[in-house]
Each structure stands twice: as structure tokens, then as C-alpha cells.
Amino acid sequence: MFDVLIIGGGAAGFYAAIHIAEGNRKLKVAILERGKEVLTKVKISGGGRCNVTHAEFDPSELVKNYPRGEKELLGPFHTYCSGDTVQFFEERDIALKIEDDGRMFPVSNSSQTIIDCFLNEADRLGIQVYKHSSVTDISPVEVDEGLFWNVKSIRNEYQTKKLLVATGSNPKVWSLLLKLGHTIDDPTPSLFTFNVDDERISGIQGVSTQARVSILKPNLKPKITIPLASQAKGEALLTEEGPVLITHWGLSGPAILRLSAWGAKLLNERNYKFSIRVNWIPEYHEESVIDLLMEIKEVEAKKTVLRTKALDLPRRLWTSLVKASGIAPEVTWADVSKERLQQLAMQLTKSEFKVNGKSTFKEEFVTAGGVTLKEINFKTFESKLHSNLFFAGEVINVDAITGGFNFQNAWTGGYIAAQGILGK
């Protein structure tokens, strides 16, 4: 018998457990973890450095990074936000640093720092942690003292007054919640890279540059004579601008990952087969590039187009796009035709690629879907269907773009669920 039982030994579960145990040292608190290790996602996050949170301290701006949960998280972030997370770790002598893109990491550059913090706190506060304890059943039971939760694992059976589910994207637990009457929004992958097999990016893996990327409507034909800025509305379903990385299997980088998050449901419906348009020089549109190239044609007349990197692009990418425009290596600017320059302008600002499949971004898999948000009271993260049943983290239908935002959802949900439990 426990006062509080937490299913899931990840970020949200440990964060909630620590706040519950600190808030009331008399409570008997336990965590059930299905695996042989706890906090595995914390360990691999940020390439092993743990991207703890993001240096966006305004709740109204912070919520804009959540494709699912933006509206619902506004209130919770006003209660507990990034600054509170920073304070939590600083109070435990763990300093965080802000990188140029706003991501925050422990100064140690090691996720083990965060893991050790949680394990030490759990030990100090007497929180029981049971590994190899995959949950097989959850059911409410009436006893003399009132309503309790009966939780069966593959190893044992437990009763608890308050139950917090913080299992992340766990289909088995979602199926148990379905039996309790909760609605589960269909899970689909989020935060993935695009598989692209195209000669223009073949052999130049490792190239990274700022670009604007759009997911196009099916069967959209490019209108190469119209500047990007004045194209018909609706041609691009989703657009993101930011660093794009060319990889062995296609395209990755922050702009691609953001598109994968915002388009998670849409792209899943298309079985990850769709077209994208890339503007490799987002500060220009096609007509302005043609004007620039015509100027270069006059100034650099004797030089070859291939060897004259006319724009701020990685040289290997410039070379590839020049070749894709049908401009031979020996052709000089003086001899290149206007038609070929128009082709080059199109390749620079409107390169279209066929995407056929996706790949997991490193180990940082995120899932869109989970317990539907309308069934949760976001003042306490308690179920609206069952008293004393709480949720935190990715088990609910909240997910974010990359950059520390998914962890901030875990910290905020864990903290508020803890306060909801303590308040009862």
C-alpha cells in the first residue's frame, strides 16, 4: 500500500515524485519502471548532454513550440515555467548554461549530472523505485477507507490512494487507460528526418545551411516565373525556416524537425510520401536571384559559373545546384544563357524533392498522440473521468519541437500533478 504510486521512471515521474515527497515527508511514494534502467530518455537527450529546457521564459511565447498542447499549456506554464526549472536544478547545485540557439544544458555537458540528481533526491526522500515492473492492469477498487487504485505489475500487486501515470509513449498503458474510459488520440511519430534520394544532395552529406522548407500540396507544379513572395496562397501547407542538414539518407536539421512536428498527423496520413520545396537562400526569391546572377554575368564574365560561388552557400551545394541547372563545368559567365541562369535561380530558390519515408532523429523519438486533452484538468493534471488519477509528460497528447521543450512539458506536468496530489 502506497500513498502515491507513479507509473513510469522517466523525467516526469521522477520530477513529480521528488516534489510530492518534499511537500509531505510522511507520504509513502513509489515509482514503477518497466525497464531495467530509469531515466533512459534523459540519458540520451541532446547527444548525451541532456537538453534540460529552453531559455524562453515567457509562457505566451513558450507555448508556440507545441504543435499539440499549445492552448492547454498556457495556464500551466504561468504556474511553472522554464525559470522554475532552472531554479530547481540550481537549488541542487546543478548550474545550467544557455547555448546560442536557446537550448539549456548542464554546465557539465553530461546527462549523468541530471540522472544523479534525481537518483540522489529519490534516495534522500525515501522514494521507492521498482525496476522490471511493467504494469499489466490498473483498476479502481472500493475499500473501507474509500476509493483506491489497484495496480498489477509482472512482479507484484499494489494499492495506492493517488495514482500518477507518467509512462510516455507506451501503447500497453494507453490500452489500460482505454479500458478505464479514457480516449486515446492515435499515436503518430513526431520529430523525424526526411528520406530523400536525389542526385542534387547525393555525396554532399554533412553540408548544413540556412534554408526555407515547405511541404507542398499533392501534385503541385512549380510556377517558376512567379516570385516566391507572391505565389498563390495555399500551395505550401507548412513552411519552416532554419538550418537544414544534408545527410546520407536525406534532409535533417532544425527546420526539417520542426516541419515533422507540425506536420506529424498530415505526413502520417500520407504514409510519409510527399513533396517539399527548398529555398536554399531564403533572403532571396527567384526574380531577385535572376537579377543578381545577371549582374554577376557582367562582372565575372571570364570565370566559370561552377567555380564562382556567387552566393553565401556551402561550395559543395553550389556546385551540385549548378550541375543540376544543366550548366557544364567549363561554361563561363559570359557564355551562360539566360535560360540556364533561370534554371539555376529555380534550383536555388525552388528546389523540389520527393520525400519517401522518414528516419528517427538520433535517439530523440517523440510521439504525437496520447490521452486526449479535453479529459484532463490542467489546473491539477488530474483526470476528469476518475478522481485521484493524474497524468504527466508524453502520456498525454502533448508534444513539442526539438530544443528542450518536451522536457519542459515533463517538468511542468510533473510539478503541477505533484501539487494536485498534495492538495488532496
Side-chain angles (χ1 to χ4, degrees), residues 352-385:
E352 289 201 14
F353 296 93
K354 298 286 187 184
V355 178
N356 187 13
K358 61 177 177 57
S359 295
T360 301
F361 175 61
K362 298 180 180 177
E363 302 290 340
E364 298 187 22
F365 47 90
V366 171
T367 300
V371 179
T372 197
L373 303 184
K374 63 184 179 182
E375 296 175 357
I376 300 166
N377 176 0
F378 279 91
K379 292 182 179 179
T380 58
F381 279 70
E382 185 175 13
S383 165
K384 290 182 179 179
L385 278 60

PDB file of all heavy atoms in Angstrom, residues 352-385:
ATOM      1  N   GLU A 352      12.675  21.283 -55.713  1.00  0.00           N
ATOM      2  CA  GLU A 352      11.647  20.367 -55.227  1.00  0.00           C
ATOM      3  C   GLU A 352      12.232  18.969 -55.068  1.00  0.00           C
ATOM      4  O   GLU A 352      13.001  18.502 -55.917  1.00  0.00           O
ATOM      5  CB  GLU A 352      10.442  20.347 -56.170  1.00  0.00           C
ATOM      6  CG  GLU A 352       9.645  21.635 -56.097  1.00  0.00           C
ATOM      7  CD  GLU A 352       8.229  21.477 -56.596  1.00  0.00           C
ATOM      8  OE1 GLU A 352       7.783  20.313 -56.754  1.00  0.00           O
ATOM      9  OE2 GLU A 352       7.575  22.499 -56.838  1.00  0.00           O
ATOM     10  N   PHE A 353      11.871  18.323 -53.963  1.00  0.00           N
ATOM     11  CA  PHE A 353      12.368  16.988 -53.655  1.00  0.00           C
ATOM     12  C   PHE A 353      11.194  16.085 -53.287  1.00  0.00           C
ATOM     13  O   PHE A 353      10.245  16.517 -52.639  1.00  0.00           O
ATOM     14  CB  PHE A 353      13.349  17.032 -52.481  1.00  0.00           C
ATOM     15  CG  PHE A 353      14.601  17.815 -52.750  1.00  0.00           C
ATOM     16  CD1 PHE A 353      14.674  19.163 -52.413  1.00  0.00           C
ATOM     17  CD2 PHE A 353      15.708  17.212 -53.328  1.00  0.00           C
ATOM     18  CE1 PHE A 353      15.827  19.891 -52.650  1.00  0.00           C
ATOM     19  CE2 PHE A 353      16.866  17.927 -53.576  1.00  0.00           C
ATOM     20  CZ  PHE A 353      16.934  19.266 -53.232  1.00  0.00           C
ATOM     21  N   LYS A 354      11.297  14.832 -53.693  1.00  0.00           N
ATOM     22  CA  LYS A 354      10.328  13.823 -53.293  1.00  0.00           C
ATOM     23  C   LYS A 354      10.816  13.172 -51.998  1.00  0.00           C
ATOM     24  O   LYS A 354      11.939  12.671 -51.938  1.00  0.00           O
ATOM     25  CB  LYS A 354      10.181  12.752 -54.376  1.00  0.00           C
ATOM     26  CG  LYS A 354       9.658  13.275 -55.702  1.00  0.00           C
ATOM     27  CD  LYS A 354       8.176  13.587 -55.624  1.00  0.00           C
ATOM     28  CE  LYS A 354       7.635  13.945 -57.005  1.00  0.00           C
ATOM     29  NZ  LYS A 354       6.217  14.353 -56.945  1.00  0.00           N
ATOM     30  N   VAL A 355       9.981  13.185 -50.989  1.00  0.00           N
ATOM     31  CA  VAL A 355      10.299  12.517 -49.727  1.00  0.00           C
ATOM     32  C   VAL A 355       9.615  11.154 -49.747  1.00  0.00           C
ATOM     33  O   VAL A 355       8.423  11.048 -50.038  1.00  0.00           O
ATOM     34  CB  VAL A 355       9.824  13.339 -48.513  1.00  0.00           C
ATOM     35  CG1 VAL A 355      10.114  12.604 -47.214  1.00  0.00           C
ATOM     36  CG2 VAL A 355      10.499  14.711 -48.519  1.00  0.00           C
ATOM     37  N   ASN A 356      10.384  10.130 -49.439  1.00  0.00           N
ATOM     38  CA  ASN A 356       9.844   8.772 -49.413  1.00  0.00           C
ATOM     39  C   ASN A 356      10.279   8.088 -48.116  1.00  0.00           C
ATOM     40  O   ASN A 356      11.277   7.383 -48.068  1.00  0.00           O
ATOM     41  CB  ASN A 356      10.319   7.982 -50.635  1.00  0.00           C
ATOM     42  CG  ASN A 356       9.651   6.617 -50.736  1.00  0.00           C
ATOM     43  OD1 ASN A 356       8.669   6.352 -50.040  1.00  0.00           O
ATOM     44  ND2 ASN A 356      10.176   5.765 -51.586  1.00  0.00           N
ATOM     45  N   GLY A 357       9.543   8.362 -47.059  1.00  0.00           N
ATOM     46  CA  GLY A 357       9.848   7.753 -45.774  1.00  0.00           C
ATOM     47  C   GLY A 357      10.502   8.710 -44.799  1.00  0.00           C
ATOM     48  O   GLY A 357      10.818   9.857 -45.116  1.00  0.00           O
ATOM     49  N   LYS A 358      10.718   8.213 -43.595  1.00  0.00           N
ATOM     50  CA  LYS A 358      11.279   9.011 -42.510  1.00  0.00           C
ATOM     51  C   LYS A 358      12.323   8.195 -41.762  1.00  0.00           C
ATOM     52  O   LYS A 358      12.379   6.971 -41.881  1.00  0.00           O
ATOM     53  CB  LYS A 358      10.182   9.442 -41.528  1.00  0.00           C
ATOM     54  CG  LYS A 358       9.490   8.244 -40.882  1.00  0.00           C
ATOM     55  CD  LYS A 358       8.475   8.666 -39.869  1.00  0.00           C
ATOM     56  CE  LYS A 358       7.750   7.473 -39.281  1.00  0.00           C
ATOM     57  NZ  LYS A 358       8.632   6.478 -38.652  1.00  0.00           N
ATOM     58  N   SER A 359      13.137   8.892 -40.999  1.00  0.00           N
ATOM     59  CA  SER A 359      14.101   8.236 -40.117  1.00  0.00           C
ATOM     60  C   SER A 359      14.034   8.903 -38.746  1.00  0.00           C
ATOM     61  O   SER A 359      13.786  10.105 -38.647  1.00  0.00           O
ATOM     62  CB  SER A 359      15.531   8.349 -40.663  1.00  0.00           C
ATOM     63  OG  SER A 359      15.657   7.634 -41.881  1.00  0.00           O
ATOM     64  N   THR A 360      14.239   8.114 -37.694  1.00  0.00           N
ATOM     65  CA  THR A 360      14.246   8.666 -36.338  1.00  0.00           C
ATOM     66  C   THR A 360      15.407   9.631 -36.183  1.00  0.00           C
ATOM     67  O   THR A 360      16.518   9.360 -36.639  1.00  0.00           O
ATOM     68  CB  THR A 360      14.369   7.540 -35.302  1.00  0.00           C
ATOM     69  OG1 THR A 360      13.266   6.653 -35.473  1.00  0.00           O
ATOM     70  CG2 THR A 360      14.348   8.090 -33.894  1.00  0.00           C
ATOM     71  N   PHE A 361      15.146  10.767 -35.561  1.00  0.00           N
ATOM     72  CA  PHE A 361      16.201  11.741 -35.311  1.00  0.00           C
ATOM     73  C   PHE A 361      17.043  11.277 -34.127  1.00  0.00           C
ATOM     74  O   PHE A 361      16.620  11.365 -32.981  1.00  0.00           O
ATOM     75  CB  PHE A 361      15.599  13.116 -35.031  1.00  0.00           C
ATOM     76  CG  PHE A 361      16.623  14.154 -34.637  1.00  0.00           C
ATOM     77  CD1 PHE A 361      17.645  14.499 -35.495  1.00  0.00           C
ATOM     78  CD2 PHE A 361      16.558  14.769 -33.406  1.00  0.00           C
ATOM     79  CE1 PHE A 361      18.579  15.445 -35.139  1.00  0.00           C
ATOM     80  CE2 PHE A 361      17.482  15.720 -33.032  1.00  0.00           C
ATOM     81  CZ  PHE A 361      18.500  16.052 -33.908  1.00  0.00           C
ATOM     82  N   LYS A 362      18.222  10.754 -34.438  1.00  0.00           N
ATOM     83  CA  LYS A 362      19.123  10.215 -33.414  1.00  0.00           C
ATOM     84  C   LYS A 362      18.317   9.263 -32.529  1.00  0.00           C
ATOM     85  O   LYS A 362      17.683   8.342 -33.007  1.00  0.00           O
ATOM     86  CB  LYS A 362      19.782  11.345 -32.618  1.00  0.00           C
ATOM     87  CG  LYS A 362      20.651  12.246 -33.485  1.00  0.00           C
ATOM     88  CD  LYS A 362      21.282  13.357 -32.691  1.00  0.00           C
ATOM     89  CE  LYS A 362      22.148  14.244 -33.577  1.00  0.00           C
ATOM     90  NZ  LYS A 362      22.704  15.374 -32.839  1.00  0.00           N
ATOM     91  N   GLU A 363      18.337   9.474 -31.233  1.00  0.00           N
ATOM     92  CA  GLU A 363      17.550   8.641 -30.320  1.00  0.00           C
ATOM     93  C   GLU A 363      16.367   9.413 -29.748  1.00  0.00           C
ATOM     94  O   GLU A 363      15.661   8.926 -28.880  1.00  0.00           O
ATOM     95  CB  GLU A 363      18.446   8.154 -29.162  1.00  0.00           C
ATOM     96  CG  GLU A 363      19.665   7.358 -29.591  1.00  0.00           C
ATOM     97  CD  GLU A 363      19.300   5.992 -30.145  1.00  0.00           C
ATOM     98  OE1 GLU A 363      18.187   5.503 -29.861  1.00  0.00           O
ATOM     99  OE2 GLU A 363      20.118   5.421 -30.872  1.00  0.00           O
ATOM    100  N   GLU A 364      16.176  10.631 -30.260  1.00  0.00           N
ATOM    101  CA  GLU A 364      15.208  11.520 -29.629  1.00  0.00           C
ATOM    102  C   GLU A 364      13.825  11.375 -30.248  1.00  0.00           C
ATOM    103  O   GLU A 364      13.276  12.306 -30.806  1.00  0.00           O
ATOM    104  CB  GLU A 364      15.719  12.961 -29.690  1.00  0.00           C
ATOM    105  CG  GLU A 364      17.026  13.124 -28.936  1.00  0.00           C
ATOM    106  CD  GLU A 364      17.486  14.568 -28.837  1.00  0.00           C
ATOM    107  OE1 GLU A 364      16.661  15.464 -28.956  1.00  0.00           O
ATOM    108  OE2 GLU A 364      18.681  14.786 -28.637  1.00  0.00           O
ATOM    109  N   PHE A 365      13.272  10.177 -30.155  1.00  0.00           N
ATOM    110  CA  PHE A 365      11.947   9.923 -30.697  1.00  0.00           C
ATOM    111  C   PHE A 365      10.896  10.576 -29.806  1.00  0.00           C
ATOM    112  O   PHE A 365      10.989  10.557 -28.589  1.00  0.00           O
ATOM    113  CB  PHE A 365      11.694   8.422 -30.814  1.00  0.00           C
ATOM    114  CG  PHE A 365      12.075   7.642 -29.591  1.00  0.00           C
ATOM    115  CD1 PHE A 365      11.171   7.427 -28.569  1.00  0.00           C
ATOM    116  CD2 PHE A 365      13.357   7.132 -29.465  1.00  0.00           C
ATOM    117  CE1 PHE A 365      11.531   6.714 -27.428  1.00  0.00           C
ATOM    118  CE2 PHE A 365      13.719   6.423 -28.330  1.00  0.00           C
ATOM    119  CZ  PHE A 365      12.813   6.212 -27.326  1.00  0.00           C
ATOM    120  N   VAL A 366       9.918  11.159 -30.464  1.00  0.00           N
ATOM    121  CA  VAL A 366       8.806  11.794 -29.768  1.00  0.00           C
ATOM    122  C   VAL A 366       7.538  11.348 -30.486  1.00  0.00           C
ATOM    123  O   VAL A 366       7.540  11.164 -31.699  1.00  0.00           O
ATOM    124  CB  VAL A 366       8.929  13.339 -29.798  1.00  0.00           C
ATOM    125  CG1 VAL A 366       7.666  13.997 -29.262  1.00  0.00           C
ATOM    126  CG2 VAL A 366      10.141  13.791 -28.993  1.00  0.00           C
ATOM    127  N   THR A 367       6.461  11.170 -29.731  1.00  0.00           N
ATOM    128  CA  THR A 367       5.210  10.719 -30.319  1.00  0.00           C
ATOM    129  C   THR A 367       4.114  11.742 -30.096  1.00  0.00           C
ATOM    130  O   THR A 367       3.932  12.241 -28.986  1.00  0.00           O
ATOM    131  CB  THR A 367       4.781   9.370 -29.710  1.00  0.00           C
ATOM    132  OG1 THR A 367       5.804   8.407 -29.963  1.00  0.00           O
ATOM    133  CG2 THR A 367       3.483   8.890 -30.314  1.00  0.00           C
ATOM    134  N   ALA A 368       3.404  12.056 -31.184  1.00  0.00           N
ATOM    135  CA  ALA A 368       2.185  12.846 -31.080  1.00  0.00           C
ATOM    136  C   ALA A 368       1.048  11.876 -30.812  1.00  0.00           C
ATOM    137  O   ALA A 368       0.955  10.826 -31.442  1.00  0.00           O
ATOM    138  CB  ALA A 368       1.946  13.602 -32.381  1.00  0.00           C
ATOM    139  N   GLY A 369       0.172  12.233 -29.878  1.00  0.00           N
ATOM    140  CA  GLY A 369      -0.919  11.332 -29.517  1.00  0.00           C
ATOM    141  C   GLY A 369      -0.888  11.024 -28.032  1.00  0.00           C
ATOM    142  O   GLY A 369       0.050  11.387 -27.326  1.00  0.00           O
ATOM    143  N   GLY A 370      -1.908  10.357 -27.553  1.00  0.00           N
ATOM    144  CA  GLY A 370      -1.989  10.020 -26.134  1.00  0.00           C
ATOM    145  C   GLY A 370      -3.349  10.382 -25.565  1.00  0.00           C
ATOM    146  O   GLY A 370      -4.318  10.597 -26.312  1.00  0.00           O
ATOM    147  N   VAL A 371      -3.429  10.456 -24.250  1.00  0.00           N
ATOM    148  CA  VAL A 371      -4.706  10.778 -23.594  1.00  0.00           C
ATOM    149  C   VAL A 371      -5.204  12.122 -24.115  1.00  0.00           C
ATOM    150  O   VAL A 371      -4.489  13.125 -24.084  1.00  0.00           O
ATOM    151  CB  VAL A 371      -4.536  10.834 -22.061  1.00  0.00           C
ATOM    152  CG1 VAL A 371      -5.868  11.197 -21.399  1.00  0.00           C
ATOM    153  CG2 VAL A 371      -4.021   9.502 -21.533  1.00  0.00           C
ATOM    154  N   THR A 372      -6.424  12.126 -24.609  1.00  0.00           N
ATOM    155  CA  THR A 372      -6.969  13.347 -25.203  1.00  0.00           C
ATOM    156  C   THR A 372      -7.036  14.464 -24.166  1.00  0.00           C
ATOM    157  O   THR A 372      -7.356  14.229 -22.986  1.00  0.00           O
ATOM    158  CB  THR A 372      -8.352  13.078 -25.826  1.00  0.00           C
ATOM    159  OG1 THR A 372      -8.666  14.141 -26.723  1.00  0.00           O
ATOM    160  CG2 THR A 372      -9.439  12.926 -24.771  1.00  0.00           C
ATOM    161  N   LEU A 373      -6.740  15.666 -24.586  1.00  0.00           N
ATOM    162  CA  LEU A 373      -6.528  16.762 -23.639  1.00  0.00           C
ATOM    163  C   LEU A 373      -7.809  17.238 -22.958  1.00  0.00           C
ATOM    164  O   LEU A 373      -7.768  17.739 -21.831  1.00  0.00           O
ATOM    165  CB  LEU A 373      -5.837  17.928 -24.357  1.00  0.00           C
ATOM    166  CG  LEU A 373      -4.499  17.573 -25.029  1.00  0.00           C
ATOM    167  CD1 LEU A 373      -3.857  18.808 -25.632  1.00  0.00           C
ATOM    168  CD2 LEU A 373      -3.554  16.900 -24.036  1.00  0.00           C
ATOM    169  N   LYS A 374      -8.944  17.057 -23.608  1.00  0.00           N
ATOM    170  CA  LYS A 374     -10.197  17.545 -23.010  1.00  0.00           C
ATOM    171  C   LYS A 374     -10.612  16.715 -21.799  1.00  0.00           C
ATOM    172  O   LYS A 374     -11.541  17.106 -21.074  1.00  0.00           O
ATOM    173  CB  LYS A 374     -11.309  17.553 -24.061  1.00  0.00           C
ATOM    174  CG  LYS A 374     -11.677  16.194 -24.607  1.00  0.00           C
ATOM    175  CD  LYS A 374     -12.714  16.325 -25.712  1.00  0.00           C
ATOM    176  CE  LYS A 374     -13.068  14.945 -26.290  1.00  0.00           C
ATOM    177  NZ  LYS A 374     -14.046  15.067 -27.413  1.00  0.00           N
ATOM    178  N   GLU A 375      -9.944  15.587 -21.582  1.00  0.00           N
ATOM    179  CA  GLU A 375     -10.281  14.743 -20.439  1.00  0.00           C
ATOM    180  C   GLU A 375      -9.348  14.973 -19.242  1.00  0.00           C
ATOM    181  O   GLU A 375      -9.327  14.190 -18.303  1.00  0.00           O
ATOM    182  CB  GLU A 375     -10.238  13.265 -20.855  1.00  0.00           C
ATOM    183  CG  GLU A 375     -11.297  12.921 -21.902  1.00  0.00           C
ATOM    184  CD  GLU A 375     -11.204  11.502 -22.437  1.00  0.00           C
ATOM    185  OE1 GLU A 375     -10.261  10.773 -22.038  1.00  0.00           O
ATOM    186  OE2 GLU A 375     -12.055  11.129 -23.261  1.00  0.00           O
ATOM    187  N   ILE A 376      -8.582  16.070 -19.303  1.00  0.00           N
ATOM    188  CA  ILE A 376      -7.617  16.376 -18.243  1.00  0.00           C
ATOM    189  C   ILE A 376      -7.880  17.776 -17.694  1.00  0.00           C
ATOM    190  O   ILE A 376      -8.106  18.727 -18.456  1.00  0.00           O
ATOM    191  CB  ILE A 376      -6.173  16.301 -18.784  1.00  0.00           C
ATOM    192  CG1 ILE A 376      -5.886  14.888 -19.308  1.00  0.00           C
ATOM    193  CG2 ILE A 376      -5.154  16.689 -17.709  1.00  0.00           C
ATOM    194  CD1 ILE A 376      -4.637  14.802 -20.151  1.00  0.00           C
ATOM    195  N   ASN A 377      -7.845  17.910 -16.376  1.00  0.00           N
ATOM    196  CA  ASN A 377      -7.946  19.216 -15.723  1.00  0.00           C
ATOM    197  C   ASN A 377      -6.536  19.789 -15.628  1.00  0.00           C
ATOM    198  O   ASN A 377      -5.721  19.318 -14.828  1.00  0.00           O
ATOM    199  CB  ASN A 377      -8.565  19.050 -14.333  1.00  0.00           C
ATOM    200  CG  ASN A 377      -8.598  20.351 -13.564  1.00  0.00           C
ATOM    201  OD1 ASN A 377      -8.163  21.396 -14.042  1.00  0.00           O
ATOM    202  ND2 ASN A 377      -9.104  20.299 -12.339  1.00  0.00           N
ATOM    203  N   PHE A 378      -6.238  20.805 -16.420  1.00  0.00           N
ATOM    204  CA  PHE A 378      -4.867  21.302 -16.484  1.00  0.00           C
ATOM    205  C   PHE A 378      -4.483  22.214 -15.317  1.00  0.00           C
ATOM    206  O   PHE A 378      -3.351  22.691 -15.258  1.00  0.00           O
ATOM    207  CB  PHE A 378      -4.617  21.992 -17.836  1.00  0.00           C
ATOM    208  CG  PHE A 378      -4.330  20.992 -18.927  1.00  0.00           C
ATOM    209  CD1 PHE A 378      -5.362  20.480 -19.693  1.00  0.00           C
ATOM    210  CD2 PHE A 378      -3.049  20.522 -19.144  1.00  0.00           C
ATOM    211  CE1 PHE A 378      -5.113  19.533 -20.674  1.00  0.00           C
ATOM    212  CE2 PHE A 378      -2.784  19.577 -20.115  1.00  0.00           C
ATOM    213  CZ  PHE A 378      -3.819  19.075 -20.891  1.00  0.00           C
ATOM    214  N   LYS A 379      -5.396  22.416 -14.379  1.00  0.00           N
ATOM    215  CA  LYS A 379      -5.021  23.111 -13.149  1.00  0.00           C
ATOM    216  C   LYS A 379      -4.322  22.153 -12.186  1.00  0.00           C
ATOM    217  O   LYS A 379      -3.566  22.582 -11.310  1.00  0.00           O
ATOM    218  CB  LYS A 379      -6.252  23.719 -12.487  1.00  0.00           C
ATOM    219  CG  LYS A 379      -6.853  24.873 -13.283  1.00  0.00           C
ATOM    220  CD  LYS A 379      -8.043  25.473 -12.561  1.00  0.00           C
ATOM    221  CE  LYS A 379      -8.626  26.644 -13.358  1.00  0.00           C
ATOM    222  NZ  LYS A 379      -9.808  27.233 -12.686  1.00  0.00           N
ATOM    223  N   THR A 380      -4.603  20.846 -12.367  1.00  0.00           N
ATOM    224  CA  THR A 380      -4.022  19.841 -11.470  1.00  0.00           C
ATOM    225  C   THR A 380      -3.426  18.648 -12.211  1.00  0.00           C
ATOM    226  O   THR A 380      -2.773  17.811 -11.602  1.00  0.00           O
ATOM    227  CB  THR A 380      -5.102  19.294 -10.520  1.00  0.00           C
ATOM    228  OG1 THR A 380      -6.158  18.729 -11.319  1.00  0.00           O
ATOM    229  CG2 THR A 380      -5.659  20.387  -9.629  1.00  0.00           C
ATOM    230  N   PHE A 381      -3.687  18.564 -13.531  1.00  0.00           N
ATOM    231  CA  PHE A 381      -3.303  17.406 -14.352  1.00  0.00           C
ATOM    232  C   PHE A 381      -3.988  16.127 -13.872  1.00  0.00           C
ATOM    233  O   PHE A 381      -3.479  15.031 -14.040  1.00  0.00           O
ATOM    234  CB  PHE A 381      -1.778  17.234 -14.409  1.00  0.00           C
ATOM    235  CG  PHE A 381      -1.126  18.137 -15.421  1.00  0.00           C
ATOM    236  CD1 PHE A 381      -1.063  19.512 -15.204  1.00  0.00           C
ATOM    237  CD2 PHE A 381      -0.599  17.636 -16.582  1.00  0.00           C
ATOM    238  CE1 PHE A 381      -0.485  20.367 -16.138  1.00  0.00           C
ATOM    239  CE2 PHE A 381      -0.014  18.473 -17.526  1.00  0.00           C
ATOM    240  CZ  PHE A 381       0.046  19.849 -17.316  1.00  0.00           C
ATOM    241  N   GLU A 382      -5.169  16.300 -13.287  1.00  0.00           N
ATOM    242  CA  GLU A 382      -5.961  15.154 -12.843  1.00  0.00           C
ATOM    243  C   GLU A 382      -6.966  14.772 -13.922  1.00  0.00           C
ATOM    244  O   GLU A 382      -7.463  15.623 -14.672  1.00  0.00           O
ATOM    245  CB  GLU A 382      -6.707  15.494 -11.545  1.00  0.00           C
ATOM    246  CG  GLU A 382      -7.453  14.314 -10.943  1.00  0.00           C
ATOM    247  CD  GLU A 382      -8.091  14.639  -9.595  1.00  0.00           C
ATOM    248  OE1 GLU A 382      -8.162  15.847  -9.250  1.00  0.00           O
ATOM    249  OE2 GLU A 382      -8.498  13.709  -8.891  1.00  0.00           O
ATOM    250  N   SER A 383      -7.270  13.506 -13.985  1.00  0.00           N
ATOM    251  CA  SER A 383      -8.287  13.006 -14.906  1.00  0.00           C
ATOM    252  C   SER A 383      -9.641  13.621 -14.567  1.00  0.00           C
ATOM    253  O   SER A 383      -9.998  13.753 -13.396  1.00  0.00           O
ATOM    254  CB  SER A 383      -8.364  11.483 -14.802  1.00  0.00           C
ATOM    255  OG  SER A 383      -9.554  10.994 -15.403  1.00  0.00           O
ATOM    256  N   LYS A 384     -10.394  13.985 -15.596  1.00  0.00           N
ATOM    257  CA  LYS A 384     -11.760  14.457 -15.391  1.00  0.00           C
ATOM    258  C   LYS A 384     -12.728  13.284 -15.234  1.00  0.00           C
ATOM    259  O   LYS A 384     -13.866  13.476 -14.827  1.00  0.00           O
ATOM    260  CB  LYS A 384     -12.195  15.336 -16.567  1.00  0.00           C
ATOM    261  CG  LYS A 384     -11.504  16.687 -16.636  1.00  0.00           C
ATOM    262  CD  LYS A 384     -12.036  17.496 -17.807  1.00  0.00           C
ATOM    263  CE  LYS A 384     -11.388  18.871 -17.885  1.00  0.00           C
ATOM    264  NZ  LYS A 384     -11.887  19.648 -19.051  1.00  0.00           N
ATOM    265  N   LEU A 385     -12.253  12.083 -15.555  1.00  0.00           N
ATOM    266  CA  LEU A 385     -13.112  10.905 -15.509  1.00  0.00           C
ATOM    267  C   LEU A 385     -12.992  10.150 -14.191  1.00  0.00           C
ATOM    268  O   LEU A 385     -13.952   9.516 -13.741  1.00  0.00           O
ATOM    269  CB  LEU A 385     -12.778   9.946 -16.652  1.00  0.00           C
ATOM    270  CG  LEU A 385     -13.381  10.226 -18.032  1.00  0.00           C
ATOM    271  CD1 LEU A 385     -12.958  11.580 -18.578  1.00  0.00           C
ATOM    272  CD2 LEU A 385     -12.991   9.132 -19.019  1.00  0.00           C
TER     273      LEU A 385
END
